[in-house]
Amino acid sequence: MMAVTTAQLPQPRALAALLVLVLITLGGAAEAQPPLGTCGAQLSQLAPCARYSVPPLPGQALPAPGPECCSALGSVSRDCACGAIDIINSLPAKCGLPRVSCRKTPSNTPR
């Protein structure tokens, strides 16, 4: 088994990029879209939120989401949103990596 160093740990920005990738992938699967009541269908509607899902570069402000994103986000149920976040948070452990903490401390502040 290979040892994982702190430099190899996924950063919150990397997890956000993973979330965007999941959202874009689900959004691109419109032709095979599940019924509207399913979580997959709800998440597939979040493509307008992709640009608001990635932390900005240092010194730049996060843009306010547009009305399309807000409307799409409003259609996602709490259970679906929490389930998706739980799945994304579980991925590092399934890959043999430590859990990612998004609290800013000296040890995980991006440099």
Side-chain angles (χ1 to χ4, degrees):
M1 187 165 149
M2 186 167 63
V4 177
T5 65
T6 304
Q8 294 171 314
L9 294 178
Q11 297 297 315
R13 187 179 298 252
L15 286 179
L18 175 63
L19 176 60
V20 170
L21 179 62
V22 169
L23 294 175
I24 290 171
T25 300
L26 289 173
E31 58 276 352
Q33 195 170 19
L36 289 177
T38 67
C39 185
Q42 292 173 37
L43 294 176
S44 72
Q45 300 303 310
L46 291 177
C49 297
R51 67 179 281 215
Y52 310 107
S53 303
V54 178
L57 295 173
Q60 293 183 344
L62 183 65
E68 301 88 9
C69 172
C70 293
S71 176
L73 192 57
S75 69
V76 176
S77 72
R78 180 189 178 285
D79 289 343
C80 178
C82 291
I85 291 169
D86 287 345
I87 290 169
I88 290 169
N89 284 336
S90 73
L91 291 176
K94 291 177 181 178
C95 294
L97 299 169
R99 185 172 177 92
V100 174
S101 172
C102 295
R103 284 184 242 154
K104 292 192 179 203
T105 64
S107 63
N108 71 2
T109 302
R111 295 183 180 114

